[in-house]
Amino acid sequence: MPLSAHAAAFTGFVQTLKALDAILDKAQAEAETRKIQPEVLLSSRLAPDMLPFTRQIQLMSDFAKNAGARLAGGENPRFPDEEKSFPELKARIARTLDFLASVDKAALDAGLERDVTFPRGQSATVTMKGADYLTRFAVPNFYFHATTAYAILRENCFSIGKQDFLKGVFDA
């Protein structure tokens, strides 16, 4: 039996979104204990030319929901990038998870064979087969931003580890 798009990518999206949601809880609690202002942490970056923590979470959310909508051929919900707090970031993750749960699994698989056109930058678009879009663009970008968000917290000496990032992998 071939591997479905849902099994190959979307279960990982869901697991990682849930893990980052739990990491946000730990980060918020630790920031309060260490008396770190949330806006300082939320605006932290790994390098001056990289996007801040908040934007990493927003983009992780976008790559998951965009992949779901584009492959399934459904409506792509628009989430304005206005989050300025841990609870707002958690709410965005929850909206993303709700949307992913609503996406038809058969439509995801059908989308692997279709052409998917998506924006690249401000004025260009790219068209790829759905399978290439998912495996070569959406999944790598999702994990890039998830890992970068995690790394920003580690750079700021937060008490999280690999098991936090992989939370849910070994749950039944």
Side-chain angles (χ1 to χ4, degrees), residues 49-95:
D49 64 344
M50 289 185 79
L51 296 170
F53 180 81
T54 296
R55 190 71 181 121
Q56 301 298 335
I57 300 293
Q58 292 165 342
L59 286 164
M60 181 181 76
S61 161
D62 287 346
F63 278 102
K65 74 174 181 62
N66 292 349
R70 289 177 180 145
L71 287 177
E75 186 67 29
N76 191 353
R78 300 288 176 222
F79 297 169
D81 298 327
E82 301 172 339
E83 293 84 10
K84 293 178 177 36
S85 68
F86 287 107
E88 289 173 350
L89 289 172
K90 288 177 62 61
R92 185 184 183 113
I93 289 172
R95 286 192 313 274

Side-chain angles (χ1 to χ4, degrees), residues 3 25 51 55 59 74 96 103 108 116 159:
L3 189 62
D25 287 335
L51 296 170
R55 190 71 181 121
L59 286 164
T96 305
V103 175
L108 288 174
V116 174
S159 301

